């Protein structure tokens, strides 16, 4: 079998060289896939590790975007300030609403997060003194670090995916830590976790806060890339898209969000060339993936790999 280090090295080489061979429009889609992977990662942590489905991620996505827009334009602050403000506001809101909401379970919890998304979108629309309302906020400057501006899709590609990989490493460290074991215990058997002395409410709230922070980072990256933040970008449909990313890629796989993000970005783009019924085809593609690969694309590939390896070992 090919060593993992070789697979990793080849993958990194392909990632680094890919923009050099792709046209600008496809690099642009890759950038959005990287941004979506960060937001989807937070949703995946909640869903795959804690068994909690959230439809509120677009609200935190919007908080990050508006924080970066407001700090950059109104205060003239560096982009990093906007990122930090977005993180702080998202974490505070998630802590405030998460503590009571996460006492719910099942469909009631999913419905509560849906209500949060609706409230967030309504506030973005009504607080036009802060968000620009339906007109949005334009003229958001590009990110510049040490005098180097990420002002093209090719440059932004590397920035976005480096941030995405850093978030995935952080998520992997969390999942494989003691806290990760507690999260999985809560997901698999809340009663058993409670009998072991695990504070279910505290663990869920901490993960929800982390999920919101990932959403905020993605929103800030989105705002600086598009130079525009509008309420239409932070709708319930966007939250559903973020939920689909880990479902398609694999809810228990940290790296599965990459596959999921590429799927929700590129498949609709490819199907759009077939005509006005491309949304129907995309829906059918989602149904196919969920039915045939309930563990996600990465989960299905991993299962196939284990089956083949088991067959080879048995043959020996």
């Amino acid at each position: 079998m090919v060593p993992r280090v070789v697979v990793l090295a080849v993958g990194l080489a392909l990632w680094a060289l890919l923009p050099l061979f792709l046209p600008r429009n496809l690099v642009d889609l890759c950038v959005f896939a990287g941004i979506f992977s960060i937001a989807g990662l937070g949703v995946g942590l909640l869903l795959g590790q804690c068994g909690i489905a959230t439809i509120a991620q677009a609200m935190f996505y919007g908080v990050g975007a508006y924080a970066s827009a407001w700090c950059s334009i109104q205060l003239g602050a560096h982009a990093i300030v906007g990122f930090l403000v977005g993180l702080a506001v998202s974490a505070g809101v998630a802590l405030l609403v998460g503590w009571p909401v996460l006492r719910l379970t099942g469909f009631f919890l999913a419905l509560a997060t849906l209500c949060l998304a609706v409230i967030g979108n309504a506030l973005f629309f009504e607080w036009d003194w802060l968000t620009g309302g339906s007109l949005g906020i334009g003229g958001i400057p590009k990110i510049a670090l040490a005098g180097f501006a990420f002002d093209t899709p090719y440059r932004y590609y590397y920035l976005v995916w480096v941030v995405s990989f850093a978030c995935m490493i952080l998520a992997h460290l969390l999942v494989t830590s003691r806290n990760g074991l507690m999260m999985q215990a809560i997901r698999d058997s809340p009663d058993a976790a409670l009998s072991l002395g695990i504070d279910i409410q505290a663990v869920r709230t901490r993960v929800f806060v982390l999920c919101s922070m990932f959403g905020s980072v993605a929103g800030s990256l989105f705002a600086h890339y598009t130079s525009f933040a509008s309420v239409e970008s932070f709708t319930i449909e966007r939250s559903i898209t973020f939920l689909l990313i880990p479902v398609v890629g694999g809810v228990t796989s940290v790296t599965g969000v990459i596959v999921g993000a590429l799927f929700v970005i590129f498949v609709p783009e490819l199907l759009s060339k077939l005509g006005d019924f491309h949304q129907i085809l995309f829906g059918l593609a989602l149904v196919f993936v969920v039915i045939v690969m309930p563990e996600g694309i990465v989960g299905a590939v991993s299962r196939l790999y284990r089956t083949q390896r088991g067959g080879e070992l048995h043959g020996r």
Side-chain angles (χ1 to χ4, degrees):
M1 302 301 295
V2 180
R4 289 186 178 181
V5 64
V6 175
V7 175
L8 180 60
V10 172
L12 288 175
L14 290 175
W15 166 78
L17 296 175
L18 190 61
L20 304 179
F21 300 97
L22 291 180
R24 183 187 178 96
N25 65 312
L26 293 184
V27 175
D28 184 67
L29 292 178
C30 288
V31 170
F32 280 105
I35 294 173
F36 278 29
S37 69
I38 299 172
L41 178 61
V43 179
L45 281 177
L46 273 176
L47 183 60
Q49 306 303 322
C50 296
I52 298 174
T54 177
I55 316 176
Q57 188 71 322
M59 179 178 69
F60 302 112
Y61 186 69
V63 168
Y66 284 125
S68 289
W70 198 83
C71 290
S72 297
I73 296 176
Q74 300 297 329
L75 300 181
H78 192 276
I80 294 178
V81 176
F83 274 80
L84 294 177
V85 170
L87 286 171
V89 174
S90 294
V93 172
L95 182 62
L96 181 64
V97 302
W99 189 260
V101 166
L102 292 174
R103 294 181 182 274
L104 302 173
T105 58
F107 297 109
F108 298 102
L109 177 55
L111 182 60
T113 61
L114 174 61
C115 293
L116 291 177
V118 173
I119 293 172
N121 187 260
L123 291 177
F124 292 153
F125 182 80
E126 295 295 336
W127 289 356
D128 54 356
W129 55 272
L130 179 65
T131 65
S134 58
L135 297 178
I137 302 177
I140 304 172
K142 301 296 185 181
I143 296 176
L145 298 175
F148 183 84
F150 295 90
D151 53 0
T152 67
Y154 298 94
R155 294 181 177 182
Y156 215 82
Y157 168 90
Y158 294 104
L159 174 65
V160 164
W161 279 105
V162 166
V163 175
S164 179
F165 292 150
C167 291
M168 290 178 197
I169 292 173
L170 176 62
H172 175 73
L173 293 175
L174 173 63
V175 170
T176 56
S177 68
R178 182 172 178 270
N179 287 323
L181 293 177
M182 289 192 295
M183 291 158 55
Q184 294 165 22
I186 294 172
R187 175 197 64 194
D188 296 335
S189 180
D191 293 334
L194 191 62
S195 68
L196 293 174
I198 298 177
D199 191 338
I200 296 178
Q201 183 69 6
V203 173
R204 283 181 168 180
T205 303
R206 288 198 295 267
V207 180
F208 187 66
V209 170
L210 181 61
C211 170
S212 73
M213 295 174 74
F214 282 146
S216 177
V217 170
S220 293
L221 289 170
F222 166 79
H224 284 289
Y225 182 61
T226 60
S227 297
F228 183 76
S230 170
V231 66
E232 296 179 357
S233 299
F234 317 118
T235 60
I236 296 174
E237 289 79 4
R238 185 55 51 85
S239 283
I240 294 175
T241 299
F242 292 150
L243 179 61
L244 286 174
I245 288 173
V247 171
V248 171
V251 292
T252 59
S253 171
V254 171
T255 56
V257 296
I258 298 177
V259 176
L262 292 173
F263 185 93
V264 301
I265 291 294
F266 278 92
V267 172
E269 180 68 18
L270 294 174
L271 293 178
S272 65
K273 302 181 185 301
L274 300 179
D276 295 336
F277 58 95
H278 69 276
Q279 291 184 340
I280 297 176
L281 296 177
F282 180 62
L284 292 175
L286 288 174
V287 172
F288 174 81
V289 171
V290 172
I291 293 177
V292 178
M293 296 174 282
E295 68 275 65
I297 296 175
V298 172
V301 173
S302 298
R303 175 165 51 84
L304 180 62
Y305 171 79
R306 290 193 300 269
T307 301
Q308 291 181 343
R309 187 174 185 183
E312 291 177 358
L313 294 175
H314 181 74
R316 294 177 183 175

